[in-house]
């Protein structure tokens, strides 16, 4: 085996591991970006908890095929960047925002979310969804509101009783 073949095997294993550990993976065409724009995009990805990488299409295709996914073969043509996300929506949000910011320089191809192929329209839908943390915060807020309202009612009730008792004590005293 040549050293080049072994190196490619290592890269395919790295991609496979990242595909398995990521909650979402977005594929984009980045052909017209400048080096400075790619650098800025990498920083935006890092801030959002994502990782932006460029691999050879054949290696990404091999990693996906090893996992049993052949739906991406058409998308893995031409310059392709891969964004690995730590949750289901952050990679899609960053890439959708980048597609708007760098008009016609970034074209969303597809995504790999929850072990399934997601087309371009699906990626845009993912980008518009709130993240898991936002959903949990909203749910906890809506669950907490009735409890805090109940506590407020009880406080008012207790305060009312104290005022009545205080008034009675003042009349007798």
């Amino acid at each position: 085996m040549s050293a080049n073949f072994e190196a490619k095997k290592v890269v395919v294993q790295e991609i496979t591991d990242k595909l398995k550990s990521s909650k979402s993976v977005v594929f984009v065409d980045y052909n017209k970006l400048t080096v400075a724009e790619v650098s800025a995009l990498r920083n935006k990805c890092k801030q959002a908890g994502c990782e932006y990488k460029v691999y050879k299409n054949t290696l990404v295709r091999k990693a996906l095929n090893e996992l049993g996914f052949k739906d991406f073969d058409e998308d893995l043509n031409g310059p392709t960047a891969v964004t690995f996300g730590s949750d289901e929506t952050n990679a899609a949000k960053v890439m959708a925002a980048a597609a708007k910011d760098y008009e016609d320089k970034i074209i969303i191809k597809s995504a790999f979310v929850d072990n399934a192929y997601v087309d371009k329209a699906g990626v845009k839908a993912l980008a518009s969804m709130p993240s898991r943390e936002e959903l949990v915060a909203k749910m906890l807020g809506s669950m907490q509101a009735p409890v805090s309202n109940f506590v407020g009612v009880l406080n008012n009730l207790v305060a009312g009783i104290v005022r009545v008792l205080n008034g009675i004590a003042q009349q007798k005293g």
Side-chain angles (χ1 to χ4, degrees):
M1 305 255 172
S2 72
N4 191 27
F5 180 77
E6 288 301 318
K8 286 180 181 179
K9 264 177 83 172
V10 169
V11 173
V12 168
Q13 186 58 49
E14 174 188 325
I15 296 167
T16 304
D17 292 344
K18 287 183 182 202
L19 287 169
K20 286 179 182 177
S21 65
S22 298
K23 299 271 185 177
S24 63
V25 181
V26 178
F27 302 97
V28 296
D29 180 336
Y30 69 98
N31 191 28
K32 298 171 187 163
L33 287 178
T34 65
V35 172
E37 290 169 334
V38 169
S39 247
L41 185 55
R42 282 185 203 278
N43 288 335
K44 286 179 185 176
C45 286
K46 192 178 283 186
Q47 290 169 357
C50 303
E51 183 182 5
Y52 178 91
K53 295 283 277 185
V54 176
Y55 292 107
K56 288 187 173 238
N57 286 332
T58 54
L59 301 179
V60 175
R61 187 179 295 115
K62 183 151 180 60
L64 283 163
N65 289 345
E66 283 181 8
L67 292 173
F69 298 99
K70 306 229 186 266
D71 299 329
F72 298 92
D73 289 353
E74 275 186 41
D75 297 330
L76 294 172
N77 292 311
T80 305
V82 184
T83 308
F84 299 95
S86 58
D87 74 23
E88 288 80 358
T89 61
N90 64 349
K93 285 181 182 197
V94 172
M95 288 300 113
K100 286 180 187 171
D101 294 346
Y102 305 113
E103 195 172 319
D104 296 329
K105 291 185 176 185
I106 288 188
I107 299 164
I108 295 172
K109 292 182 175 187
S110 61
F112 179 67
V113 180
D114 218 13
N115 288 325
Y117 176 84
V118 177
D119 65 2
K120 186 179 196 173
V123 175
K124 289 180 180 177
L126 272 173
S128 67
M129 291 176 60
S131 70
R132 173 174 276 150
E133 288 78 21
E134 291 168 335
L135 287 173
V136 167
K138 285 180 182 180
M139 185 183 78
L140 288 175
S142 66
M143 288 172 60
Q144 189 176 6
V147 172
S148 62
N149 289 343
F150 181 66
V151 168
V153 167
L154 286 179
N155 280 339
N156 287 338
L157 185 63
V158 170
I161 292 171
V162 168
R163 280 192 296 269
V164 168
L165 292 175
N166 193 21
I168 293 171
Q170 285 179 356
Q171 283 178 353
K172 290 185 177 182

